[in-house]
Amino acid sequence: RLAEDTKRKEEETKLKEAEDKRKQELEEQETKRRLAEDKARLRLAEDTKRKEEETKLKEAEDKRKQELEEQETKRRLAEDKARLRLAEDTKRKEKETKLKEAEDKRKQELEEQDTKRRLAEEETSTRLAEDAKRKEEEIKLKEEQAIKKKQLEEDEEKHKLVGERRGKLSENKNNKGAVGVKMKMMDGEPQHEKNMTKQGNNKDNKIDPVKTNDSSDQDKGGKIKVYGSGLETGFANQENIFKIETRDAGTGGIGLSIEGPGDVQMKFKDNKNGSGTVHYTPDEEGSYAIIVTFNGKEIPKSPFTVFIKSK
């Protein structure tokens, strides 16, 4: 009996496992069927949407074609009417010509005279237009020359003001608003020669860069790059920054000064890569001039004018 019970239980277990497997297969089949139905519905929806879009496009195209056809029809009708009117006018004119040959001859003579008059007027108008254009070009040229002259005068005035400012700075050692620092360069690497000096607090206020025997100072000065936000605008009582690159200028002396209405604190940091960073803090708002020299000569675009704002 124990063996029969065991065998019966094994058979029931196998039957149950087979039934569970069958149920699982049916569920998988049902899942696949549902997925297939969902895909079919999705494809059907996409096909329906695509067909609707195609229908709309076709309707729009048909509507546009219909409008074009209507426009073409209207144009042809207008042309037909114009041709009909022209034919009627021609027929009427022919009849009038036959009845009034003498009058037409006189009319032709008058038309020829009128044509000659119009040609003469057109030639006069053309000459007047050419004269007006030439005068406009002359006026434009004079305006451009005046603008260039004004720019030159402004540049000269700017350099004159900077020169006057420097003269006043050197005469009055107690004057505020100027700070300077000088460096020497060895193979493009800036080296500090002395600490920064502040106008009114140091006996030697003149920036005297290191001398050099190189005759191409002006060309080398053009290879010095000065850039940064501190050359365009800045804020009072706040540190403003710009950079100086000297790696392409060779050996020589760099001079740096900042002139303006207030006191300026300035620091120079050697970046050890042929460039340096200038940190300056003015204590008043206003227009400041940043002057950069190479071997005593200003580099191109110097002085740099910076307007300092209050925070």
Side-chain angles (χ1 to χ4, degrees), residues 14 120 145 216 220 233 294 302:
K14 287 180 180 180
Q145 291 175 351
S216 59
K220 288 186 176 182
T233 185
F294 180 76
S302 176

Side-chain angles (χ1 to χ4, degrees), residues 257-269:
S257 65
I258 301 176
E259 303 172 2
D263 286 334
V264 182
Q265 295 180 358
M266 182 169 63
K267 294 184 293 183
F268 180 83
K269 179 183 177 183

